[in-house]
Amino acid sequence: MNGTRRNAIALYANFIVMALLGLAINPLLVQSLGATEFGIWKSLLRLLDLSGVADGRATQALKWIVAHGSRRDDNQTLQRAVAAAILMWLFWLPVLLLALSGVVYLLPSLINGVSADHLILARWAALALGINVVLSAVLGIPDAVLIGTNQGYRSIVLTTTFLVFSNGLMLLAARAGFGLPTLGLITLGSTVLSGTFTWLVARKRVKWWGIAKPTRSDLTRFASFSNWTLVWALVQLLLLSSELLLISAMSGPVAVTKYTFTSYSIQFALSICLMTGSAVTPSLGALIGAADLAGAGRLVRQTREILLAVMTVSGAGLLLLNKAFVSTWVGPEYYMGDTLNALMVIAFLQLSHIRLEAQVQDVGLNISKKVMVALAATFASFLLAGVLFALFSSLESTYVGLISGRLLASILLPRLVCGLVPIPAYCWRGIGVLAIVIAGSIFAAPLVNPHGWLALLLTATAVFLVLTGIAFAFIVSPETRALIYGRTFAIRERMTQ
């Protein structure tokens, strides 16, 4: 089994484990912490992640530089890239510390309605999470090398293991009466252990592992790509976190808690879509690096079809079943309404499309145009969301603004991909089928209302089978279907041997 398949299997296994973990842990954390502290915790995680882009995103640049040169027998160049990543981290460290300090200081403005007692706990927790962000940047270097050499599955296994361990510890701490600062320290300890073990794996499994003194041209090339990667990382985090950040600033931690549960299945559906692109990018980078543009174009086209199929099944399924899922899981009081759910799903579909087109361009090592387009779309979405919220004072209007502002990226990013690989900008057949199925699901959603886990499971199974049949019949081409069937049967044969 090659690295791409192992990456895909590891990513999906990680998804399943984290989905089950979240299903079990989140309701128990709410019971132990309360809706307010739980909302503060979720807001802190997003805020500190966002400020973490000030680390220079050296690991992101390293990942794609290693992937681009993985088929060349030039160990010295790759070792110099590792050293350049460390130097970039040191260069950006003062900026990162300043950004983290700003978040801690501005917490009363970033999380609406936080009491004085909660603010003290939140700041101590933010301090622990801030140290975690600082160390994550350098501890992530071996992970970036493993991903770039198509061995990301090795670090995924370690990351998953330590996430399960740390979540269990956080639950025990919360039930024992410890607050947010303890949760922050547990997160920090898990990151240190995970990074240490990943470093040991990289040293053993990457034949050229090590560092070499970088040249001026190495640093210039790395800094140029890393700087654009930093801006893209900021845009990417804003795209993924904008809803929660706006809800936190406008409505407060209790609304964040409700959003967490209403959007829980939507976030995991988004993760599936993101993993679809992540699993193929190392192979795509190698094809482009070897100037095999025909092979790269074929891989991008097949990945687009698979993504549209996944988006169709997951998007329509969320429209039909998310209300029943949230109500059965934690109670109907945590569901934010059909209209907001539909807008969340549309935003999820839009983000999935934007991210795949952006991931394709990452491996070309020329991301400036992509970053500028996405940055303009992000500012437009925040501007429109703020204006519409000021006019209508509703979260629904905020989502309309976000979706409208992001249309710029939805339209232009696929066109930029055409400059990298020789394929059409859009898969019109798949987009049309997706639109029809989503529209039909919005109208049909009020008619689907199973009660209890058994009824929900049976309904979800029937919905999945019907939607998968539609996606495979009308979105996925015969060539891609043959590829999927071939790989499925090959994996099955290996499992039975």
Side-chain angles (χ1 to χ4, degrees):
M1 188 183 298
N2 62 29
T4 300
R5 294 178 184 177
R6 289 176 178 175
N7 290 337
I9 292 171
L11 284 168
Y12 283 106
N14 171 269
F15 159 75
I16 293 171
V17 170
M18 297 312 298
L20 294 175
L21 186 66
L23 284 172
I25 294 293
N26 282 335
L28 297 175
L29 276 179
V30 170
Q31 292 176 9
S32 301
L33 296 173
T36 299
E37 285 197 25
F38 182 82
I40 292 172
W41 174 249
K42 290 296 183 180
S43 297
L44 286 176
L45 291 175
R46 291 294 178 90
L47 288 167
L48 271 300
D49 278 346
L50 184 63
S51 63
V53 301
D55 65 6
R57 298 287 99 169
T59 54
Q60 293 296 317
L62 177 63
K63 176 171 60 178
W64 300 123
I65 288 173
V66 170
H68 202 261
S70 61
R71 290 192 177 182
R72 302 172 187 170
D73 189 17
D74 189 355
N75 294 346
Q76 281 288 317
T77 298
L78 296 174
Q79 290 174 347
R80 293 200 304 267
V82 174
I86 296 173
L87 291 176
M88 286 298 300
W89 173 74
L90 290 172
F91 176 81
W92 282 97
L93 185 58
V95 181
L96 176 60
L97 293 174
L98 182 62
L100 294 171
S101 301
V103 169
V104 174
Y105 178 76
L106 295 172
L107 278 180
S109 301
L110 297 172
I111 306 177
N112 187 35
V114 180
S115 66
D117 291 340
H118 281 137
L119 180 60
I120 294 174
L121 293 175
R123 280 182 164 154
W124 280 110
L127 178 61
L129 292 174
I131 297 172
N132 180 70
V133 169
V134 171
L135 294 179
S136 294
V138 67
L139 291 174
I141 287 176
D143 175 63
V145 170
L146 287 171
I147 293 173
T149 56
N150 214 16
Q151 301 182 73
Y153 58 90
R154 301 186 189 278
S155 60
I156 292 170
V157 170
L158 287 172
T159 301
T160 304
T161 301
F162 281 104
L163 279 174
V164 172
F165 178 70
S166 64
N167 273 266
L169 280 181
M170 284 192 287
L171 178 59
L172 291 175
R175 293 181 75 85
F178 293 97
L180 298 181
T182 302
L183 270 61
L185 290 173
I186 292 172
T187 302
L188 172 59
S190 175
T191 297
V192 172
L193 288 173
S194 179
T196 302
F197 277 89
T198 304
W199 178 80
L200 293 172
V201 170
R203 188 178 67 171
K204 181 178 180 180
R205 296 294 182 178
V206 178
K207 64 179 181 180
W208 54 264
W209 175 256
I211 60 174
K213 183 178 179 180
T215 65
R216 183 180 296 273
S217 61
D218 291 323
L219 292 173
T220 301
R221 177 193 182 211
F222 201 98
S224 176
F225 186 63
S226 182
N227 290 340
W228 281 113
T229 304
L230 182 150
V231 180
W232 170 241
L234 174 62
V235 172
Q236 186 173 238
L237 280 172
L238 286 173
L239 287 171
L240 295 175
S241 305
S242 53
E243 293 95 330
L244 188 145
L245 295 175
L246 288 170
I247 291 171
S248 175
M250 296 173 179
S251 301
V254 175
V256 169
T257 297
K258 292 183 177 181
Y259 167 81
T260 299
F261 287 106
T262 299
S263 67
Y264 182 81
S265 55
I266 297 174
Q267 294 298 323
F268 272 96
L270 179 60
S271 297
I272 292 177
C273 293
L274 299 185
M275 288 186 296
T276 302
S278 298
V280 302
T281 45
S283 296
L284 182 62
L287 288 169
I288 293 175
D292 184 2
L293 297 184
R298 183 168 58 254
L299 181 58
V300 172
R301 185 178 67 253
Q302 292 170 342
T303 306
R304 279 177 171 176
E305 291 178 1
I306 293 172
L307 178 67
L308 284 168
V310 173
M311 288 165 60
T312 299
V313 175
S314 57
L318 289 166
L319 289 168
L320 296 171
L321 298 170
N322 198 34
K323 179 180 180 180
F325 168 71
V326 175
S327 299
T328 305
W329 179 31
V330 288
E333 67 273 16
Y334 288 98
Y335 181 67
M336 303 181 79
D338 289 342
T339 301
L340 199 56
N341 183 61
L343 290 169
M344 286 181 178
V345 170
I346 293 171
F348 140 66
L349 296 173
Q350 186 182 41
L351 278 177
S352 299
H353 174 252
I354 289 172
R355 282 295 305 276
L356 175 65
E357 302 303 318
Q359 284 174 315
V360 171
Q361 293 171 72
D362 281 338
V363 298
L365 302 187
N366 184 13
I367 63 173
S368 56
K369 291 181 180 179
K370 174 197 78 172
V371 172
M372 295 305 295
V373 168
L375 186 63
T378 301
F379 278 119
S381 65
F382 267 90
L383 178 61
L384 288 172
V387 170
L388 291 177
F389 184 83
L391 292 174
F392 301 102
S393 300
S394 70
L395 294 179
E396 289 82 358
S397 63
T398 301
Y399 264 91
V400 171
L402 290 172
I403 294 167
S404 301
R406 292 169 182 167
L407 285 175
L408 179 67
S410 300
I411 295 170
L412 294 183
L413 287 181
R415 295 182 178 275
L416 293 179
V417 171
C418 298
L420 184 64
V421 291
I423 57 173
Y426 309 103
C427 179
W428 288 114
R429 181 185 61 187
I431 293 172
V433 174
L434 171 64
I436 293 171
V437 173
I438 292 300
S441 299
I442 291 174
F443 287 107
L447 304 176
V448 182
N449 192 26
H451 296 283
W453 285 114
L454 180 59
L456 178 60
L457 179 60
L458 292 174
T459 305
T461 301
V463 168
F464 174 79
L465 292 174
V466 171
L467 293 173
T468 301
I470 293 173
F472 264 67
F474 299 104
I475 295 178
V476 180
S477 67
E479 179 187 10
T480 305
R481 283 200 297 269
L483 176 68
I484 295 172
Y485 292 148
R487 289 184 174 179
T488 301
F489 291 142
I491 292 172
R492 187 178 301 171
E493 288 177 1
R494 290 189 181 96
M495 294 176 65
T496 56
Q497 287 177 353

